Structure formats: structure tokens, C-alpha cells
Amino acid sequence: MANFVLRLPATSFRSFSISASSNGAVPGTSTRAQNGGPVILELPLDKIRRPLMRTRANDPNKVKELMDSIKEIGLQVPIDVLEVDGVYYGFSGCHRYEAHQRLGLPTIRCKIRRGTKETLRHHLR
């Protein structure tokens, strides 16, 4: 990870900083819609449960293409994660998740929505 700080004279410019993680997300930050919508942040891969993993097979060619893309330009679209009682469940982004695993990346950028146990049961049907 690299951090860059650009400081210009205060008379006519503002100062700001730019930083990036290995997969393109700004480390240590999250964004939340003002209306209490989803949060986007990095989660450790091992904290995301994948309840449908055994029922779906990933296309190995697509995973390889994503690995190449993530290595070159980072993850462009976060995976969707449902948070229920502090536990994270991933139901989409299976290829992106596997690409991160195979690249040995410890975290993945996620769009996290809070849900109830009923919402979780709905996703498991």
C-alpha cells in the first residue's frame, strides 16, 4: 500500500491525501448512504460465510480473467454481503471472491446491507 500526500500553498489550493489498497479500496474507510443504506468497506475473506458455495460451481476461465484484472487494476465492483446479527453472508460475487482467495488477498471490498434472520432465510431458499 502506498500513501501520497500533496500539499500546495494554502493561499489558493486545498490540501488532500490519496491512498489505495491492493484491490483498489481506500483502506480504513467506509461509505454509507445518508439514508442509512449499504456500507462499502473491506472485510477479511474468512469473515464472510458462503452458504451456497457447495451448490454452485464457478467458471474457472472467468475466475482466471478476474485474477488477471484484479492484479492489474484492482477490484472494480464490490461483492454484495448481507450482515445479520454481526455475521456476514455472501450470496453474489462468487467469482470475485474465489479470485481474491486464489490471489492470496486477505480482504475483499464489500457492499454490506443489514438484514434480519427472515431476510437470510429468504436468500437460502
Side-chain angles (χ1 to χ4, degrees):
M1 176 176 71
N3 287 319
F4 303 95
V5 177
L6 177 62
R7 298 206 184 269
L8 301 170
T11 56
S12 60
F13 298 102
R14 295 182 190 175
S15 49
F16 60 93
S17 65
I18 301 171
S19 62
S21 72
S22 62
N23 59 5
V26 177
T29 63
S30 66
T31 57
R32 178 183 288 270
Q34 288 184 0
N35 64 1
V39 175
I40 297 179
L41 56 88
E42 296 256 336
L43 286 179
L45 291 175
D46 62 359
K47 297 294 182 197
I48 302 170
R49 295 186 182 178
R50 309 285 303 176
L52 302 178
M53 192 182 233
R54 291 182 209 55
T55 63
R56 298 180 182 167
N58 288 338
D59 177 349
N61 293 327
K62 187 172 180 180
V63 172
K64 175 68 173 119
E65 288 174 7
L66 280 165
M67 289 172 65
D68 294 341
S69 173
I70 290 166
K71 277 193 279 190
E72 186 175 331
I73 62 174
L75 181 65
Q76 299 300 295
V77 179
I79 66 169
D80 291 321
V81 172
L82 180 66
E83 185 259 318
V84 178
D85 296 334
V87 180
Y88 300 101
Y89 298 90
F91 293 98
S92 69
C94 299
H95 291 89
R96 289 169 281 167
Y97 182 90
E98 183 177 334
H100 272 68
Q101 278 184 318
R102 293 184 55 197
L103 286 168
L105 297 172
T107 63
I108 188 166
R109 193 170 22 165
C110 303
K111 181 170 26 172
I112 302 169
R113 289 186 173 85
R114 285 200 167 160
T116 63
K117 288 181 181 175
E118 180 59 34
T119 305
L120 178 60
R121 280 192 289 273
H122 175 75
H123 281 283
L124 293 172
R125 290 181 196 163

